[in-house]
Amino acid sequence: MTTTRESSYYGAGEHPHPENELNRLRIQATASWPKEARVMREWGLRPDADVLEIGSGPGFITELLLQEVPQGSLTSLELEEHQIAEAKAYLGDYDENRLRFVQGSVLEQPLPDGSFDVAHARFLLQHVPEPVAALREMHRVLRPGGQVVIADVDDHLWGTVHPAPRLPVIDQVIQMRIDLQAQRGGDRLIGRKIPQMLLAAGFERIRVEAVAVSSDEIGMAMLDPQLNIRSRYAMMVALNPAAEDAVRELADAVDEFLASPLSSAMLLVFMYSGEKPR
Ligand SMILES: C[S@@+](CC[C@H](N)C(=O)[O-])C[C@H]1O[C@@H](n2cnc3c(N)ncnc32)[C@H](O)[C@@H]1O
């Protein structure tokens, strides 16, 4: 299916439970950020860097990124006006000398060439119909020697649960979400493709890391919003009522899994970087 959308992510009013989605993004930011920030520092993020955050959403990562560059600046580019409004409300009185919001698409960034040290895109690329074109735009706005940092998923390497219920419905629902996002122009299997995409966009010195988010480390409550099957798949069921039985079966299995104090879960986030040649 072809699409003219610039994003497979929920547009305004599309999520049947927007407050749940907001909470999911908030907890997701907190759950893995300490490890993501550590990787970014290892990869050379400097406190005085000028950073571009793309697909900044409701501002949870914006706040955390800003703390990483106390002598630098942050520009947050976001497609959706309603997300920018949400982020501004969340951040309250922020320092406009250090943080600015820009509305626009990663595919056509209203930003000058060569103006940032780091371009950061977290859970964005999986939603963009032309990810290599998006990476080329990031390359354009970086200074020579500048770095792109991507955090994203691959749904065939989403993680593990233990003890794992042996239910075909797990793979069935995961495949349904891969298919739904593909129909909307996105790609939930993008994780394995990003290194080659970075090279195709002109980056060099590619680096890859996996970050584990484990309930045994941070508590199952931090993973609850990811495992809220009824909310996460509500749009899928609304668009395709035939998915309802499979989603209900999975939700019941997850309820049972969460009820056991012996259950544990580990989710994976992949990180990538590349440098713009000097
Ligand atoms: C899953 S949310 C991630 C938000 C944030 N980066 C985080 O990690 O919490 C994806 C965000 O990217 C934005 N987005 C999607 N497509 C975009 C595009 N083409 N250009 C800019 N932003 C886009 C969405 O509106 C949404 O706010």
Side-chain angles (χ1 to χ4, degrees):
M1 178 173 169
T2 54
T3 176
T4 53
R5 296 175 60 94
E6 296 212 39
S7 169
S8 66
Y9 189 65
Y10 306 101
E14 269 193 310
H15 198 298
H17 307 287
E19 67 293 347
N20 288 357
E21 177 60 5
L22 199 60
N23 188 47
R24 186 182 76 81
L25 292 183
R26 185 175 61 78
I27 306 268
Q28 178 177 259
T30 324
S32 53
W33 184 253
K35 291 186 182 182
E36 291 177 51
R38 191 179 69 206
V39 170
M40 288 182 73
R41 283 180 228 125
E42 276 173 20
W43 284 351
L45 179 63
R46 295 188 329 263
D48 62 351
D50 293 322
V51 177
L52 171 63
E53 178 196 23
I54 311 176
S56 44
F60 306 128
I61 294 295
T62 310
E63 180 181 41
L64 296 166
L65 262 177
L66 201 55
Q67 290 167 9
E68 291 298 316
V69 289
Q71 288 101 48
S73 73
L74 184 59
T75 299
S76 292
L77 176 73
E78 166 59 50
L79 183 65
E80 301 276 1
E81 291 282 11
H82 75 100
Q83 295 282 9
I84 295 177
E86 193 78 58
K88 286 183 173 171
Y90 173 70
L91 291 162
D93 278 340
Y94 59 87
D95 180 350
E96 293 182 20
N97 293 317
R98 293 226 304 128
L99 170 63
R100 70 178 170 137
F101 286 93
V102 176
Q103 191 277 325
S105 174
V106 65
L107 292 168
E108 208 171 337
Q109 299 173 29
L111 297 165
D113 295 358
S115 35
F116 298 97
D117 301 307
V118 175
H120 177 260
R122 183 175 186 268
F123 302 135
L124 165 79
L125 227 48
Q126 59 167 288
H127 291 295
V128 178
E130 294 174 79
V132 175
L135 290 170
R136 284 204 184 99
E137 268 290 88
M138 295 184 208
H139 188 278
R140 178 182 68 75
V141 300
L142 281 170
R143 296 177 178 132
Q147 182 188 45
V148 63
V149 177
I150 305 292
D152 225 304
V153 296
D154 190 300
D155 251 359
H156 286 171
L157 294 169
W158 59 269
T160 60
V161 288
H162 176 77
R166 296 223 168 272
L167 292 177
V169 76
I170 298 176
D171 289 340
Q172 192 186 338
V173 172
I174 289 173
Q175 190 57 50
M176 284 162 136
R177 84 172 171 185
I178 292 170
D179 293 345
L180 175 61
Q181 197 154 320
Q183 283 162 21
R184 292 166 63 84
D187 183 358
R188 291 196 65 88
L189 299 176
I190 197 166
R192 68 196 65 183
K193 303 169 195 164
I194 289 174
Q196 292 293 325
M197 288 177 169
L198 287 167
L199 290 169
F203 290 101
E204 58 184 27
R205 288 167 50 87
I206 307 302
R207 282 180 280 204
V208 184
E209 281 282 342
V211 164
V213 184
S214 163
S215 63
D216 295 312
E217 196 172 6
I218 57 175
M220 190 64 92
M222 293 295 279
L223 273 65
D224 268 355
Q226 304 296 341
L227 299 173
N228 185 343
I229 302 300
R230 289 179 187 84
S231 174
R232 290 202 68 188
Y233 297 99
M235 188 175 83
M236 182 195 286
V237 171
L239 293 173
N240 173 20
E244 189 171 356
D245 287 350
V247 170
R248 189 184 315 111
E249 193 185 338
L250 179 61
D252 291 347
V254 171
D255 285 349
E256 205 175 306
F257 169 82
L258 289 174
S260 164
L262 297 177
S263 294
S264 71
M266 181 173 68
L267 306 180
L268 294 176
V269 177
F270 294 97
M271 294 184 68
Y272 312 83
S273 85
E275 271 182 34
K276 176 170 175 169
R278 287 174 194 277

